[in-house]
Every structure is written in structure tokens, then in C-alpha cells.
């Protein structure tokens, strides 16, 4: 049986894939369950896609797990998501190490509950020597928060004469974002049918290829991931030239 995996050209892989993991709530509601059941099932998709990315040789995978706007959801859902996050990170650390995956996190991590923050930092430290896939979790992340934060840091450095205004280049700005050291995404995937970016990596996606699918996140499997890569490889990236 021919699969999308066989159609991938391994010499032209996207270096960085970012995913807006959407549709957990709708997936659960359609089955008569509480939204939280959808989040729980979304963990399987995270595991599958991380494994697929590592096996294929993708260098960076960024997953939008929780936005700054998501803090405004009902407290019960926020708590459940935080708990799920902590449990998953703890349980998956040995697998990440086995697969040579290094974990990173971007976002306003100071807003995470203390226990979640500690466990997250522990997993980051314990996987920091791995040099295969870099898995970036966007947690309490939004692009406007990130850009606002970068401007504050940059203004401070101008004020203390660490940098002069005339030297501020696009590269300088990139270096003040939480994604410094991470290349811009080549491909961004959003599941569950919404055609919007929802405050994700606005600066970084200037020339990213966008891919939207109706599949809800808890149904997203390796083949769906490979299909997106094959679609990406059919496109001509011109970068304005
Ligand atoms: C994505 O699923 C997960 C998070 C945003 C945390 P949603 O919870 O947004 O599910 P829908 O989009 O309402 O179906
Ligand atoms: C975007 O999904 C955030 C994450 C996937 C973590 P949302 O469900 O929060 O976005 P909107 O409300 O549909 O724009
Ligand atoms: Mg949603």
C-alpha cells in the first residue's frame, strides 16, 4: 500500500514545522463527551506527530498547546489542561530521551502554576543534551505578548546604550523574541477547519507555507502529518523573488 510517507522527498524536508493543534473540544462534543476528553485524546496525536517528525528527520516541531487567550477559558478547563500538561511531560520524558528529542518551551511561562513550571523546566534540563528533533511547546504563548516583550527588552538595551537605534535590523528583532535560536517555520499546519492564525508566530511566518485541514486534532495521525509534508513539497516558494 502506497502511503504519503513513501511520497516524501527526504532531500527537501521542511526544517521547521509548526502546528496549531485545534478542535479537541469539538471532537469530544461530537461524541457526546466533555471538552476535556478531547484534550486527553489530543495527547495521543502529540505523541504520534512527535514520533513521526523524529523518524522523518524534521529538525524543529513547534506545537501551540496553550495561548495567552486560553487563560480566559473556564477555570475547570484551564486546570485540566495544566494537569494534563504536567502529567504528559513527566510521563514522556523517558520516551523523549529514547528518541533523542530535546524539549524547549516558548511563551509567558511565568504565568504557569508553580508545579507545572518546575516539571517543565526539569524535562527541558533532562533532554537538553539530545541532538535529534527539537520539540518546542508554545505554552501561555501569543505572538503579540512575545512582540510586546521583545520591544520592552530592546528599549531597555537602547536606553543602556547596549545597542544603537540605527543598528536594529530584522535579525536584531528576531533575537529578542522567545524563538531566538529557532529558525522560522517552513510549514504551519492548523487542524479542525478554522482558517486563521490565532496569535501564533506572527513575525516568524512571514514566508511560511500554510496548510489547513478539517481533521480535528485528536484524529490527527502520522499519515495526516506526512500528507501535509507532501503538500508542502508540491509548492514553489518564491520569497518575493
Ligand atoms: C485546541 O482545541 C486545544 C487548545 C486550544 C488548548 P480547542 O480546545 O480549541 O477545541 P475547539 O477548537 O473548541 O474544538
Ligand atoms: C488556538 O486555538 C490556540 C491553540 C491551539 C493552543 P483556539 O481554539 O484558542 O483559537 P480560536 O479561539 O479558535 O481563534
Ligand atoms: Mg479551538
Amino acid at each position: 500500500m502506497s502511503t504519503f510517507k513513501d511520497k516524501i522527498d527526504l532531500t527537501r524536508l521542511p526544517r521547521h514545522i509548526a502546528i496549531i493543534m485545534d478542535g479537541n473540544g469539538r471532537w469530544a462534543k461530537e461524541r457526546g463527551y466533555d471538552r476535556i476528553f478531547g484534550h486527553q485524546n489530543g495527547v495521543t496525536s502529540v505523541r504520534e506527530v512527535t514520533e513521526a517528525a523524529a523518524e522523518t528527520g524534521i529538525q524543529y516541531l513547534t506545537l501551540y498547546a496553550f495561548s495567552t487567550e486560553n487563560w480566559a477559558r473556564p477555570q475547570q478547563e484551564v486546570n485540566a489542561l495544566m494537569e494534563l500538561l504536567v502529567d504528559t511531560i513527566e510521563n514522556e520524558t523517558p520516551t523523549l530521551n529514547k528518541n533523542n528529542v530535546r524539549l524547549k518551551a516558548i511563551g509567558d511561562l511565568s504565568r504557569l502554576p508553580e508545579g507545572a513550571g518546575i516539571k517543565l523546566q526539569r524535562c527541558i534540563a533532562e533532554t537538553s543534551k539530545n541532538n535529534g528533533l527539537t520539540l518546542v511547546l508554545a505554552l501561555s504563548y501569543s505572538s503579540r505578548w512575545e512582540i510586546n516583550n521583545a520591544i520592552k527588552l530592546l528599549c531597555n538595551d537602547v536606553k543602556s546604550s547596549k545597542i544603537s537605534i540605527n543598528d536594529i535590523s530584522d535579525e536584531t528583532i528576531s533575537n529578542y523574541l522567545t524563538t531566538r535560536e529557532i529558525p522560522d517555520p517552513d510549514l504551519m499546519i492548523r487542524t479542525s477547519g478554522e482558517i486563521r492564525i490565532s496569535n501564533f508566530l506572527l513575525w516568524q511566518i512571514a514566508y511560511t507555507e500554510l496548510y489547513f485541514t478539517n481533521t480535528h486534532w485528536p484524529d490527527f495521525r502520522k499519515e495526516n502529518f506526512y500528507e501535509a509534508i507532501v503538500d508542502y513539497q508540491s509548492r514553489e516558494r518564491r520569497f518575493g523573488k
Side-chain angles (χ1 to χ4, degrees), residues 71-141:
W71 288 114
R73 291 192 180 191
Q75 194 58 45
Q76 190 208 5
E77 185 178 348
V78 171
N79 292 346
L81 276 166
M82 288 300 140
E83 206 174 302
L84 196 58
L85 169 77
V86 169
D87 290 352
T88 306
I89 284 170
E90 269 203 320
N91 294 338
E92 296 298 318
T93 303
T95 311
L96 294 178
N97 278 325
K98 197 182 103 218
N99 294 330
N100 198 19
V101 178
R102 174 173 63 147
L103 186 76
K104 275 181 178 264
I106 55 171
D108 188 0
L109 305 178
S110 68
R111 289 182 71 178
L112 294 179
E114 199 188 345
I118 289 169
K119 284 176 180 168
L120 176 67
Q121 293 307 333
R122 192 183 296 151
C123 182
I124 290 171
E126 286 175 4
T127 61
S128 65
K129 300 269 181 333
N130 296 335
N131 59 7
L133 172 72
T134 299
L135 172 64
V136 184
L137 282 187
L139 280 175
S140 186
Y141 176 90

Side-chain angles (χ1 to χ4, degrees), residues 21-27 35 39 65-66 70 73 77 81 192:
M21 309 185 288
D22 197 22
N24 294 351
R26 277 164 282 168
W27 183 90
R35 295 174 55 83
H39 299 315
F66 195 88
N70 290 151
R73 291 192 180 191
E77 185 178 348
L81 276 166
S192 211

